[in-house]
Amino acid sequence: MCAPRPGGKDGAALFSNRCGACHLAGGMGTNLLTKQRVAAGEPPESGLLANRKDLTQTYVKVIVRRGKLAMPRLTRVEVTDAELASIAKYLGKAGA
C-alpha cells in the first residue's frame, strides 16, 4: 500500500507536483487544451490552466474527481481533498 503524500503545500506547488506532467507547458493535457482553445478563437496561452480566468473552484474539483475526455479521474489517494481544495483555489480564478 502506498504511503500518503505529504500535504501542506500551496496550490501552485501542488498543481505542479500532482498535475504538472500533463498540465504544464509541453504536457499532453496542455497540448490538447491549447488546440481546443485556439480552435475556439482563444489565444494559445489559454491552454495553460494556470493562465485561465474562467475556471471556478467547483469546476476544477468536479473535473479532477470525475475526469473529462482524455483526463482520467483522480482518486482521493492520488490527490487528497485538502490538496484538491488548494489546487482548486489556485486555479479557480472565476470564484467558487
Side-chain angles (χ1 to χ4, degrees), residues 5 9 24 42 49 58 71 84 93-94:
R5 296 177 185 156
K9 295 181 181 176
L24 291 178
E42 298 289 329
L49 295 179
T58 300
M71 181 180 158
L84 181 52
K93 297 175 182 82

Side-chain angles (χ1 to χ4, degrees), residues 14-70:
L14 285 164
F15 175 74
S16 179
N17 181 272
R18 303 292 193 269
C19 314
C22 292
H23 289 291
L24 291 178
M28 181 177 73
T30 297
N31 292 339
L32 291 171
L33 287 169
T34 299
K35 184 177 178 180
Q36 291 172 352
R37 301 299 289 182
V38 168
E42 298 289 329
E45 54 273 5
S46 70
L48 284 169
L49 295 179
N51 291 341
R52 300 272 300 270
K53 305 285 189 232
D54 61 334
L55 301 175
T56 66
Q57 292 179 35
T58 300
Y59 180 80
V60 171
K61 290 176 185 178
V62 168
I63 295 303
V64 168
R65 291 294 183 230
R66 293 185 185 169
K68 183 175 180 182
L69 301 173

